[in-house]
Amino acid sequence: MLNLDELFVTRKWVGKPVRRDQDIRFIRGEATYVDDLEMECGHVAFLRSIYAHARIKRIDTSKAAALSGVLAVVTGEDVARETRPIVPRAITRPATQYVMAVEKVRYVGEPLVAVVAEDRYLAEDALELIDVEYEPLRPLVEIEDALREDAPLIFEEAGSNELLHEKLEHGNIEAAYREADLFVKERFRLHRYSSTPLENWAIIAKHEKGDDAFVVWANDQQPGRSTTNVCNMLGIPNSGLRLIVPDSGGGFGIKLAIWPYIVILCLLARRTDRAVKWVQTRREHLLAGTHAPDARVEIELALRRDGRILGLSIKDIQNDGSFIHTAGIYGLIKFATMVGCYDIGATRAELVSVVTNKGPTVQNRGVGKPTMIFVLERMVDIAARRVGLDPAEMRFRNFVQPGQMPYSTPSGEIYESGNYPECLRKALSLSGYEEFRKRKEEMREQGRYLGIGMSASIEPGTSNLGYYYTHRGLPEYMGNAEGAIVGVDYDGNVNVLLGSVDEGQGHATTTAQVVADMLGIDPGRVSMSTHLDSLISPFLGHSGCYSNKFNDVDLGAVIMATKKVRDKMLRIASHALGVEAGELTFRNGEICWAKDERRSIAFKEIATVAYKKILLLPEGMEPGLKEIAYYKNPAAKPPSKANFNVQLTHSNSVHMATVEVDVDTGAVTIVKYVIVHDCGTQINPGIVEGMAIGSTVHGIGAVLYEEFVYDENGQLLSTSFMDYLKPLAVGLPRFEVAHVESPCPTTLLGTKAVGEGGAIGSLAALANAVEDALAPFGVKVTSLPITPEKVVRAVRETGEI
Amino acid sequence: MIPKRFEYFCPTSLQEAISLLGTYGEEAKLLAGGQSLLSLLKLRVADPKYLIDLGRIAELAYIREPGACDAAARTDGPEGEIAIGALTTYAAIKGSRLLQGRCPLLPQTAAVVGDVQVRNRGTLGGSLAHADPAGDMPAAVLALRAELKAVGPSGERWIRAEEFFLGTFATALRPDEILTEIRVPVLKAEKAVYLKAARRPSDFALVGVAVCLKLGRDQACEEVAIGVTGVTEKPYRATGVEGRLRGRRLEPKAIEDAASAITLGVEVSESIHASQGYRSHLARVYASRALQAAR
């Protein structure tokens, strides 16, 4: 962390809830999304598999191709001839998959045929004229189906439906088990859900025939990786692809997987010699636009009688569906923070990625941590009951203490900062924990069932990419970094360009605040295009908006580039004013002599010297006033199974939910919700609070409403918002958000992750609250979602949700 | 929204609409507020060749209490009635002073249909003619024993609410008829309630129960009509429950007992949001709660 008093010349903007003026275009409906780009395009529609698992016997596209207005009809086989197979990142068994179905379909919704037509209506009409002959195979929907001994293989070449099976031990787990007085074990089932950004995937691809090169506009979340993937898949040089990302309407991880469709669109553009456009429908998005995997987790705590947790074991089986690129990564990212906020000396993790005939999975908000923290925080409550402790006391006894920071988990993850007990104390007080418990008893006498539940969670950020290759030799990526260009324009205003994109997080405002305080100007004078152009944006393989890395490496790059520009401005000013640079200060868009402020030079004049009157520059200085910087997180360790930090910053939070359960209808009402959050230094508390609440609502959706339901044939039954239920503003409580601020020593400003925390911590808090409310019925919560039907059945029959 | 190709008509009078319907018959579909049909078009589940948009027929949007002579024209009509044009939106019903004062069940029900956008666009006639098995308004018109006016090339006829709903998306309307008006009674001694179980406030009912109850001496049930939605393939009158209530004092025990008959003789539907068992259970709970509330 830098000395902020030295870094900033004013302290007017960082730390203030500055209004997001830079984003007003979104409110006004004036943003430029891919679909808004005015271009003559052919329009693409996909024929998608109606079977979960089938051999493709024959595809007859002749009628579709003959339809007037149809420009091209391309099958998976055509695509496979012109592309390389998808490269898997984590799985250890061989599996061959192309960007469209070839020979076999492996999930309902897998793209089989692409049609380009003069308009989308015609393209959709043409799909209905395509005749596909399938030979249905046994669908493997649930984990248990895929692991049955007589189960067919979804990828024959893999020799198994387990594509990754990893066992990791850290610390002395045998000793922990020996010393333990008791063991608590439970099995949990987590369902499938995902993110549903307002804007679905959208791509326009154009082929520049003369250069055999492509220009692509896509709302891609990780362009740094996509450009690599697309070029590799198409076998073209990097110069053959220019990727432009305009405004994007939300990402949450699932837009990391858009690149296979970019590959398809490029081929279609080349084939038709037209710009081609595809805008995903909501149905396509829910069906095949990637989910978070469902999971079965067994977890065991080895405890001392006083409640101290000595060891932790999990067996985690992920239903990764049928997308081999990211299969397995949920498990591998999860073990790193499996101890949560607790000082647990030894861990054992068995991680299994199972391929099934459900839809593809990819990183979704929190990637695995929502599952991990859910099972861990449920267990802490269960264990607390076993040893006769209050759940809060159980947590206090096991927390990593502030004095232990930086704390290394058994597997080498470094918690660089945090004050977990303080967060819980604050949450207990804000939620009125003690009074509530009295009220709860009174209400029960009236036949009303209230409960309170808590969870303490880690919210890691800045992925140390490469974690998923720990057993496959050296990974393609390591560490994490980002690039930025900061320039002073002719008029003395500041311009920032980032290698990353913005999915709605307000990067432009946050960046403007930092730059404004570094240069002593108003944030209104700092403009940042959040659009990306791979031709001009400062670009790395890591570039993109994911893993809460913005606050760390993105801003790090901005700060380093701004420092370079500032140094150059000082040297130009020093030369122009005839004053030592060390005696100069920044004031309202000018650089002036500290001893006599009347001797000053405005940014605009400095820019004029740098760009126009270049003969006035100091001897030997390059013209121009624009600097590029790349910044990497300094704490990243190279991949190693034995000692490895998978993520590089660690925010944390305590969630405290109060619920009322109607035991006759099963309805769960959230009465009160408290979030105490620690993401270190806050640059814009308004944005931080928005993200803390927004991510929590995502978790509430996962617990109470959202679920991808498949039938036994692998047909997805929730393919619209009538059946895939998002939480609504109506029915949500007013959130109380409070902060603890433990600055991160390894980021430049002391900032840490924000944006995923609520999606991680809320699951267990709500489940614990429901279990508390239903304590008179002895109901145990071991699965999600908590639907009204499951509540009624648990209360009346099974005793288990 | 990528529907199949259709031809679009936008008549400005009822007469014109009836004549278009006469021409295109079963290949045509009537569009009112579009809150159900557009979703079906979007998913290409419905693909009518002709779409007749009733939205510009101003004469079909009204709420009024006709004069005595008007009502007298109908021999079997009750004393006081309110007439509602088929194209009246939920929002208009929800906000109608007349209905709030004279037949509050309708505004109360309209208030829980969908969300604000749906209520601003969707219409009473559209909801009834679409006959979604989980629509809210059908339950209310059943409990109110409303009468529905159908107009076709050969003139008009009245259909009783309980004879209107034939099945999922199926009504007693003939292919050449348009539902134009709904008549509901002015409620005097009756108390009426609509309660709905839904996963979220704006969702279709998993179970919806509308009760219209008149108590007589000793708080005994003199008259009762119960409309149920969401439970089976069509909205229906819970005559089994009604029969157990008539003449009885509405003690909790009597209510429980009667409510248990709510799914009697009915094939309870199943969806990913409610199994048969849970839906039956909910129907009992909601019947009982609605009766309690109407008492």
Side-chain angles (χ1 to χ4, degrees), chain A residues 603-626:
Chain A
F603 283 14
K604 185 177 175 182
E605 290 171 66
I606 297 172
T608 302
V609 170
Y611 291 112
K612 297 170 182 170
K613 300 176 182 171
I614 57 174
L615 301 183
L616 301 181
L617 285 168
E619 188 68 28
M621 182 184 273
E622 282 177 23
L625 201 46
K626 193 169 279 189

Side-chain angles (χ1 to χ4, degrees), chain A residues 404-605:
Chain A
Q404 289 175 277
M405 298 292 174
Y407 172 84
S408 180
T409 71
S411 64
E413 189 85 355
I414 295 166
Y415 294 173
E416 64 295 316
S417 57
N419 189 336
Y420 309 150
E422 180 58 20
C423 287
L424 180 54
R425 272 192 292 273
K426 229 175 178 168
L428 289 171
S429 136
L430 281 170
S431 64
Y433 189 63
E434 293 303 327
E435 305 90 271
F436 171 79
R437 308 178 83 199
K438 280 185 219 121
R439 198 173 131 229
K440 183 173 80 175
E441 296 310 322
E442 292 164 18
M443 298 297 270
R444 266 181 204 167
E445 282 163 26
Q446 301 170 30
R448 293 176 63 182
Y449 296 90
L450 276 80
I452 194 164
M454 67 187 75
S455 85
S457 61
I458 290 286
E459 176 185 5
T462 318
S463 174
N464 185 0
L465 290 185
Y467 60 87
Y468 40 79
Y469 275 111
T470 48
H471 49 279
R472 282 162 60 106
L474 271 188
E476 197 182 354
Y477 291 85
M478 287 187 226
N480 207 306
E482 192 51 88
I485 296 172
V486 174
V488 178
D489 292 337
Y490 297 168
D491 57 12
N493 291 330
V494 182
N495 204 325
V496 181
L497 206 55
L498 205 58
S500 175
V501 291
D502 179 284
E503 303 285 325
Q505 294 90 341
H507 291 170
T509 303
T510 308
T511 302
Q513 288 175 255
V514 172
V515 173
D517 268 345
M518 282 183 74
L519 296 174
I521 52 174
D522 188 279
R525 291 187 59 183
V526 183
S527 65
M528 173 169 128
S529 168
T530 51
H531 296 189
L532 176 135
D533 183 339
S534 64
L535 205 58
I536 52 175
S537 301
F539 218 54
L540 295 165
H542 303 81
S543 286
C545 179
Y546 58 91
S547 187
N548 295 332
K549 73 187 238 303
F550 171 78
N551 75 86
D552 176 2
V553 291
D554 296 41
L555 279 180
V558 170
I559 289 166
M560 298 318 265
T562 307
K563 277 177 95 171
K564 285 188 190 174
V565 169
R566 190 165 72 173
D567 287 348
K568 188 165 182 180
M569 289 168 80
L570 279 172
R571 276 182 285 140
I572 295 172
S574 156
H575 185 68
L577 299 173
V579 174
E580 284 292 313
E583 293 177 7
L584 294 171
T585 59
F586 285 79
R587 192 159 315 236
N588 296 330
E590 291 181 347
I591 296 179
C592 54
W593 188 27
K595 292 175 181 164
D596 180 357
E597 289 187 6
R598 281 169 304 176
R599 264 175 90 174
S600 67
I601 179 167
F603 283 14
K604 185 177 175 182
E605 290 171 66

Side-chain angles (χ1 to χ4, degrees), chain A residues 134-349:
Chain A
Y134 296 93
E135 179 194 325
L137 300 168
R138 189 166 124 199
L140 306 177
V141 185
E142 303 304 332
I143 288 167
E144 295 76 9
D145 301 333
L147 295 184
R148 212 157 279 147
E149 247 175 51
D150 66 343
L153 295 174
I154 293 178
F155 290 93
E156 282 86 357
E157 61 277 22
S160 166
N161 288 326
E162 280 183 8
L163 296 186
L164 176 86
H165 196 136
E166 181 81 60
K167 286 180 185 165
L168 296 159
E169 266 189 34
H170 295 96
N172 193 341
I173 188 79
E174 260 119 56
Y177 269 68
R178 265 199 313 277
E179 285 163 34
D181 299 316
L182 65 154
F183 305 90
V184 208
K185 192 172 183 173
E186 194 55 76
R187 286 162 190 246
F188 295 95
R189 283 181 301 120
L190 280 102
H191 63 308
R192 241 177 205 242
Y193 63 99
S194 190
S195 302
T196 51
L198 287 177
E199 185 204 22
N200 292 325
W201 296 356
I203 306 169
I204 293 174
K206 201 169 138 192
H207 183 231
E208 308 275 0
K209 215 172 181 182
D211 306 323
D212 191 18
F214 297 98
V215 188
V216 172
W217 292 260
N219 50 6
D220 192 306
Q221 210 179 332
Q222 195 181 9
R225 185 187 291 274
S226 291
T227 45
T228 309
N229 285 359
V230 172
C231 291
N232 287 349
M233 302 278 297
L234 290 171
I236 57 171
N238 290 160
S239 61
L241 175 69
R242 179 177 176 193
L243 176 60
I244 298 168
V245 182
D247 284 330
S248 189
F252 311 105
I254 52 104
K255 279 181 183 160
L256 297 169
I258 193 172
W259 59 267
Y261 285 87
I262 296 179
V263 172
I264 301 169
L265 270 275
C266 284
L267 292 178
L268 296 175
R270 183 152 67 189
R271 178 155 313 198
T272 56
D273 201 15
R274 287 275 290 270
V276 293
K277 180 188 216 174
W278 172 62
V279 179
Q280 186 187 47
T281 64
R282 185 59 69 182
R283 190 182 131 79
E284 285 181 298
H285 179 85
L286 294 173
L287 198 58
T290 73
H291 307 156
D294 44 314
R296 307 270 181 278
V297 188
E298 272 176 48
I299 173 167
E300 185 173 45
L301 298 182
L303 298 155
R304 269 198 334 231
R305 212 164 283 117
D306 63 1
R308 274 289 287 137
I309 306 166
L310 305 178
L312 164 63
S313 306
I314 59 164
K315 179 173 184 184
D316 171 72
I317 310 178
Q318 301 279 156
N319 181 341
D320 275 322
S322 284
F323 183 49
I324 59 160
H325 181 63
T326 37
I329 66 168
Y330 271 74
L332 291 175
I333 203 166
K334 202 180 289 176
F335 83 89
T337 44
M338 64 187 274
V339 297
C341 296
Y342 307 113
D343 182 13
I344 301 174
T347 59
R348 177 189 283 148

Side-chain angles (χ1 to χ4, degrees), chain A residues 128 664-665 704 726 789, chain B residues 4 199-200 275 278 281:
Chain A
E128 294 177 20
D664 289 326
T665 65
L704 298 180
K726 302 296 295 180
E789 173 157 4
Chain B
K4 276 198 183 171
R199 289 294 304 273
R200 302 168 306 169
S275 67
Y278 175 62
H281 167 80

Side-chain angles (χ1 to χ4, degrees), chain A residues 120-121 124-125 128 662 664-665 704-705 717 721-723 725-726 728 730 788-789 792 796, chain B residues 1-4 43-44 199-204 272-275 278 281-282 285-286 289:
Chain A
R120 181 70 180 261
Y121 302 97
E124 298 280 342
D125 290 346
E128 294 177 20
D662 180 332
D664 289 326
T665 65
L704 298 180
Y705 303 108
L717 304 178
F721 281 154
M722 274 177 72
D723 287 320
L725 308 177
K726 302 296 295 180
L728 302 174
V730 182
E789 173 157 4
V792 167
R796 298 168 74 90
Chain B
M1 172 89 182
I2 315 164
K4 276 198 183 171
L43 297 170
R44 296 188 166 212
R199 289 294 304 273
R200 302 168 306 169
S202 64
D203 285 329
F204 275 99
I272 60 171
H273 301 303
S275 67
Y278 175 62
H281 167 80
L282 264 188
V285 171
Y286 271 77
R289 286 185 180 182

Side-chain angles (χ1 to χ4, degrees), chain A residues 47 50-51 54-63 75-77 101-105 112-113 129-136:
Chain A
L47 182 75
I50 55 169
Y51 283 96
R55 212 164 286 288
I56 306 165
K57 304 253 298 197
R58 188 180 57 86
I59 302 180
D60 181 358
T61 60
S62 56
K63 279 189 208 143
T75 65
E77 220 157 293
V102 182
E103 290 171 13
K104 253 177 102 164
V105 288
L112 270 172
V113 183
L129 300 174
I130 297 169
D131 190 21
V132 182
E133 196 184 321
Y134 296 93
E135 179 194 325

Side-chain angles (χ1 to χ4, degrees), chain B residues 241-261:
Chain B
V241 183
E242 295 171 5
R244 291 190 190 192
L245 289 169
R246 278 195 199 98
R248 285 186 72 179
R249 278 170 58 110
L250 295 192
E251 307 291 351
K253 173 80 183 63
I255 288 178
E256 287 293 313
D257 173 49
S260 67

